[in-house]
Amino acid sequence: MNASAGEIFFTSCGTEANNMALKCAVRDLGVTHVISSKTEHHAVLNTLENLQESDVIHIDYLNLGECGEIDLEQLEAILSENKGKTLVSLMHANNEIGTMMDIKRVSVLCEEHDALFHTDAVQTVAHYPINLQEIKVHFLSSSAHKFHGPKGIGFLYINGDIKVKPLMHGGSQERNMRPGTENIYGIVGLAKALEIACEHMSEHRKHIENLRANLKNQLITFLPDVQFNGKTDDEGLYTVLNVSFPKEFGSDLLLFNLDIAGIACSGGSACSSGTDAGSHVLKNINASTDRKSIRFSFSKYNTAEEIDFLVESLKKMVPVKVS
Ligand code: PLP
């Protein structure tokens, strides 16, 4: 990523990295105004809400397009209003619908307006090349299990020009930034996973893109009424396909039946599984509530045979409308 070792701080996960970036920026860098979006991961949304409840920040949430794209013109307009020291926190790719943010463009806007920039890149590190010498980001969050590293380890990149204090207090590990004995197995596993992923990035990408296109095409063929949430073309995160089934086809049992068939997918963010609050992302892009949405995600380990199996299984579960 073209960061220096001194700019990387290991954390227990992406959630901790997001908390550290946002809370430290507000506490130590005089941030009083945050620009973000309602489709961020809860690790960002709930942290911002917590900061707002303590009356320390004012938040502007950007308008979203029908695929969840942020309004760059509005971002520029708000930045121009000079509402105090500003932090822009926008995710690089949405974990539910795959919509991506133009990280380069946002970084330039932030630089022009002297704003700090945090990006939750949990979905994109190791899947897309990110060159931190070319793109000016102040904070970037990542989590190893999104690229086949171990669970329980992540990192926060903090640009070397930025000086913040630790969020937790204790020993002097991680150059005084994150106390506690380091998770060596996790750190080594993360580094190895990142190395492997970066070495084979384009080959894995091609394989996964083919799987996603294959599923999309097969679904369109057997279910003409099918729709997709977010960007499903080259502009969208290639590891995710969010499928919107017509209500009469996709009952609440669909997820359950897929699970029984041995197919692991989710009704929203996997972090929210076990709750049935519905997807905050779909709500915020005004996706139809008459439809049932399921997120399928793919990795280098998935195969074309598995896509066929998924489609065959869906055909048995989903009664196709005869017109
Ligand atoms: N941000 C995004 C975009 C994610 O997809 C996730 C996890 O799914 C997280 C943050 C949280 O990461 P972790 O589970 O490592 O805390």
Side-chain angles (χ1 to χ4, degrees):
M1 296 173 75
N2 248 329
S4 72
E7 293 175 313
I8 302 295
F9 299 91
F10 293 104
T11 60
S12 63
C13 57
T15 300
E16 186 189 325
N18 282 337
N19 268 266
M20 199 162 145
L22 300 172
K23 290 181 176 165
C24 290
V26 169
R27 188 193 56 193
D28 302 331
L29 303 174
V31 169
T32 53
H33 173 228
V34 176
I35 305 176
S36 190
S37 115
K38 288 274 188 186
T39 51
E40 293 294 310
H41 190 275
H42 281 123
V44 165
L45 281 181
N46 290 346
T47 306
L48 289 180
E49 215 169 275
N50 177 267
L51 287 164
Q52 193 178 30
E53 274 165 15
S54 331
D55 266 347
V56 282
I57 51 163
H58 164 75
I59 310 173
D60 278 315
Y61 292 102
L62 295 175
N63 297 331
L64 298 164
E66 58 179 18
C67 288
E69 325 82 304
I70 51 153
D71 184 337
L72 283 167
E73 278 176 26
Q74 188 198 14
L75 171 63
E76 187 165 15
I78 298 176
L79 282 169
S80 310
E81 288 173 31
N82 281 328
K83 293 185 171 185
K85 186 67 192 170
T86 298
L87 170 72
V88 173
S89 179
L90 292 168
M91 65 204 315
H92 192 193
N94 186 279
N95 50 311
E96 292 189 35
I97 55 173
T99 301
M100 295 191 69
M101 177 261 299
D102 185 342
I103 188 170
K104 175 85 189 158
R105 180 94 187 94
V106 172
S107 76
V108 170
L109 285 177
C110 288
E111 205 165 10
E112 281 171 7
H113 294 275
D114 198 23
L116 293 160
F117 180 26
H118 163 246
T119 187
D120 173 345
V122 165
Q123 290 290 329
T124 52
V125 165
H127 298 284
Y128 290 83
I130 299 175
N131 184 343
L132 293 167
Q133 293 299 319
E134 279 172 11
I135 297 171
K136 174 120 191 207
V137 180
H138 297 95
F139 301 95
L140 178 144
S141 314
S142 174
S143 184
H145 67 100
K146 301 298 181 196
F147 47 88
H148 307 292
K151 286 187 170 69
I153 185 79
F155 67 83
L156 177 66
Y157 160 86
I158 306 182
N159 184 291
D161 298 341
I162 295 292
K163 293 284 167 274
V164 287
K165 297 195 194 105
L167 190 60
M168 293 190 291
H169 298 95
S172 55
Q173 290 93 344
E174 295 279 342
R175 303 175 302 290
N176 280 321
M177 262 307 286
R178 206 246 182 200
T181 302
E182 295 90 342
N183 172 3
I184 298 297
Y185 317 107
I187 292 170
V188 172
L190 177 151
K192 191 68 194 171
L194 188 55
E195 184 188 313
I196 296 170
C198 290
E199 213 174 299
H200 301 280
M201 196 183 283
S202 44
E203 162 202 336
H204 292 161
R205 177 174 180 161
K206 203 158 177 267
H207 172 71
I208 299 169
E209 275 173 348
N210 285 338
L211 295 176
R212 186 174 74 140
N214 180 352
L215 176 60
K216 186 178 168 190
N217 292 338
Q218 291 205 54
L219 286 175
I220 291 170
T221 310
F222 109 83
L223 267 182
D225 263 356
V226 77
Q227 291 176 8
F228 302 94
N229 297 310
K231 296 265 185 199
T232 58
D233 53 14
D234 290 349
E235 285 177 42
L237 177 68
Y238 60 88
T239 51
V240 164
L241 186 68
N242 194 308
V243 183
S244 165
F245 294 91
K247 199 170 196 170
E248 65 270 28
F249 295 161
S251 73
D252 282 340
L253 274 180
L254 194 52
L255 261 181
F256 177 77
N257 286 332
L258 284 164
D259 188 25
I260 297 293
I263 298 159
C265 50
S266 64
S269 161
C271 319
S272 309
S273 54
T275 65
D276 62 356
S279 157
H280 71 285
V281 174
L282 296 180
K283 267 185 217 143
N284 279 294
I285 62 167
N286 295 321
S288 165
T289 46
D290 284 347
R291 302 175 72 93
K292 175 86 191 159
S293 294
I294 295 186
R295 178 190 70 161
F296 296 96
S297 37
F298 317 93
S299 85
K300 62 179 180 180
Y301 295 117
N302 289 122
T303 62
E305 290 72 33
E306 285 173 333
I307 301 295
D308 292 344
F309 175 73
L310 163 60
V311 173
E312 288 315 308
S313 305
L314 277 170
K315 281 182 183 164
K316 288 182 207 144
M317 293 167 201
V318 172
V320 177
K321 227 194 307 189
V322 182
S323 51

